[in-house]
Structures are given as C-alpha cells and as structure tokens.
Amino acid sequence: MPIADDIDDVRARLAAARRPAALAGAGLSAESGVPTFRGAGGLWRRYRPEELASPAAFARDPKLVWEWYDWRRGLIAKTEPNEGHRALAEIEARFPEFWLITQNVDGLSRLAGSLRALELHGNIWRMRCTGCARTLENRQTPLPELPPACGNCGELLRPDIVWFGESLPPGVLDKAFIAARESDLFLVVGTAGVVEPAASLARLAKANGAFVVEINPDETALSEECDISLRGKSGETLPRLLD
Ligand code: NAD
Ligand code: ZN
C-alpha cells in the first residue's frame, strides 16, 4: 500500500489539475487477469513475446504467431475492466481534455468507458490484410482457421498490432506527444517503461512542467524521473485518488 501522505498529495494535485493525462502499460490490466509480458504467465509454450511479436516471426511462421494471438484473445475475452480502468474513465468524465495513452492492446479501457484512449500499439480485436491493407474488427475466439485469410483479396490477415521493430501509427503518436506536452499532471501507470516511446512521453511531460506520478508496485526504468512513485497496484491506488 502506498504511503497515505503521498496519496493525499497526489489526490490534491489531481483535484487542482487543469489537464491531466496518463500513460498506461500492461500492469493496468494485470488485476483483470491479463498477464504482463515480463511477469509470471507472460510466457507461452517456450517462447518469449519478443520472438513472436515481430514481422520476421510472422514471415517465418504465420500460423505459430496466430496461435499465440488466438490464445491471448481467448484469455482477454474472459476478462473484464478492473477498478483501475474504471478510475481512469472517471478521470476522463471529470476532465474533458484528459487523454489516456495506452500501450495495451486488450481494449479494456474502452470497455470501461474511456473514449479518449490513444491505443499506441493497436488492438488485438482488429486484423489487417497484408495484401490490400483493409482493416476489420473480429471478436471471434477461437478463430476457426489459422492463419486467417482476407475475404477481399485472399492474402494473409495479421493482427492490427504494432510489432517489435515497427513504427507506431503516426496520427496516434502525434496526439500522444501533444497530450504529454500539454499536461500538468502526468500519471505513469503499470508500465515498465522499457519500450519507447513510454520513457520519452514521461520525460516530455516533465520537461514541460508536468508533475509526474508513477503508480506501480515495483521500481521501474522511469521511477527516477517521476516526482512521486506510489508503490501499489493500480486497481487499488487509482480509485483512492478520486475519493
Ligand atoms: P511490462 O509487461 O513490461 O511491464 C508491466 C509493468 O506493470 C511492470 O512494471 C510491473 O511492475 C507493473 N505491474 C504489474 N502488476 C501491476 C498492477 N497490479 N498495478 C500496476 N502496475 C503493475 O508491460 P509494458 O511496459 O506495458 O510493455 C510491454 C508491451 O507489451 C506493451 O507494449 C504492450 O503493448 C504489450 N502488452 C500488452 C498487454 C495488454 O494489452 N494487456 C499485456 C501484455 C503486454
Ligand atoms: Zn486483402
């Protein structure tokens, strides 16, 4: 549990903020039962996510990569937003200019009611054609055939997710940088901060005068840069900022 004085301090800062923003990572969804990549349960068969979530892996063995995504989609389909997702949606309700920048692909923030969620890494319920580039939403789990093919042109479909080594969707990234730069209170929730642009966004917020608050049970690569680290789970800590 985080120190009560620190919670009180951040609660007061949030109440007085004009433009809060938040950056979220896999830890936000951990209490919903979605495994983080680096935590227990992050491994599938003998593979590390870095070996599967890449263009090279997909080129080599699209069926294997799809089996992994099909397994993750099945896990996520059984989960629900937690109190942390709901608290962030409540912050949006109180601050109409709030932006939630998320690295998560599970869609749980939108389910919780966050309409202003910038999904930096895409969404696991969307697919994109490697031939005609058409995107489509598909919530079927398990998928009847792996790898799935495009109904339009017959080429392979891929998850509409940003893989290691790929660039982020420019429109979304631009909005995220503006949100970080213009924020006066920046929450860094459940992210290890080792995948860019997480570190850059936190640094940019701070360089432009934001008070930066980390919410994470463990120390991270970003802890040093934060003004306060609330050491606790996001599902327990975020709601206390709204009491
Ligand atoms: P990460 O797995 O590297 O780190 C997770 C962080 O969450 C850690 O710092 C950990 O201490 C913290 N954490 C664990 N439980 C927590 C809790 N209850 N409350 C708050 N924090 C908690 O995740 P990352 O930094 O987000 O980066 C990994 C990449 O993997 C991301 O780019 C993301 O796209 C992808 N990913 C997404 C999901 C998802 O969509 N839910 C899940 C796993 C990985
Ligand atoms: Zn196609």
Side-chain angles (χ1 to χ4, degrees):
M1 268 287 140
I3 303 164
D5 284 356
D6 283 347
I7 291 265
D8 289 344
D9 182 5
V10 177
R11 184 189 298 117
R13 287 177 188 275
L14 177 61
R18 286 179 36 253
R19 273 179 180 240
L23 168 69
L28 174 65
S29 295
E31 288 157 88
S32 292
V34 185
T36 63
F37 277 178
R38 289 162 188 85
L43 286 184
W44 175 74
R45 299 187 195 169
R46 64 185 187 283
Y47 301 95
R48 291 183 302 121
E50 292 83 346
E51 297 172 60
L52 295 160
S54 79
F58 191 71
R60 201 183 309 125
D61 193 344
K63 188 164 193 281
L64 175 75
V65 172
W66 264 114
E67 281 169 353
W68 179 57
Y69 277 103
D70 200 37
W71 171 76
R72 290 181 61 203
R73 285 161 58 104
L75 284 183
I76 292 169
K78 293 193 190 80
T79 68
E80 286 175 5
N82 64 53
E83 292 304 317
H85 297 108
R86 279 193 277 276
L88 290 168
E90 174 60 25
I91 294 178
E92 178 182 307
R94 295 190 193 180
F95 299 90
E97 291 185 283
F98 176 76
W99 281 109
L100 170 60
I101 306 162
T102 184
Q103 296 165 275
N104 294 343
V105 298
D106 54 38
L108 290 176
S109 284
R110 278 182 196 276
L111 264 187
S114 286
L115 300 175
R116 290 164 65 88
L118 300 170
E119 294 178 324
L120 285 183
H121 293 163
N123 189 301
I124 202 160
W125 303 114
R126 265 196 333 260
M127 300 176 179
R128 187 168 86 232
C129 179
T130 58
C132 68
R134 184 173 79 116
T135 60
L136 59 139
E137 195 179 307
N138 177 315
R139 295 191 165 261
Q140 207 178 355
T141 168
L143 288 164
E145 206 181 329
L146 298 178
C150 176
N152 196 29
C153 74
E155 292 293 324
L156 278 187
L157 292 168
R158 59 164 279 178
D160 194 16
I161 283 186
V162 179
W163 283 334
F164 290 98
E166 295 186 313
S167 43
L168 276 67
V172 179
L173 187 61
D174 291 345
K175 281 189 187 163
F177 275 108
I178 293 169
R181 197 187 309 126
E182 294 187 346
S183 71
D184 53 358
L185 180 73
F186 195 72
L187 307 173
V188 180
V189 183
T191 179
V194 291
V195 180
E196 279 296 346
S200 304
L201 287 163
R203 223 165 274 145
L204 181 69
K206 194 171 166 67
N208 284 275
F211 191 83
V212 181
V213 178
E214 174 174 69
I215 297 166
N216 198 310
D218 295 320
E219 192 171 333
T220 73
L222 293 177
S223 298
E224 287 266 295
E225 328 236 357
C226 295
D227 294 293
I228 289 190
S229 291
L230 300 177
R231 292 275 166 254
K233 296 181 173 181
S234 47
E236 295 168 3
T237 309
L238 283 168
R240 294 181 63 197
L241 302 181
L242 293 167
D243 287 347

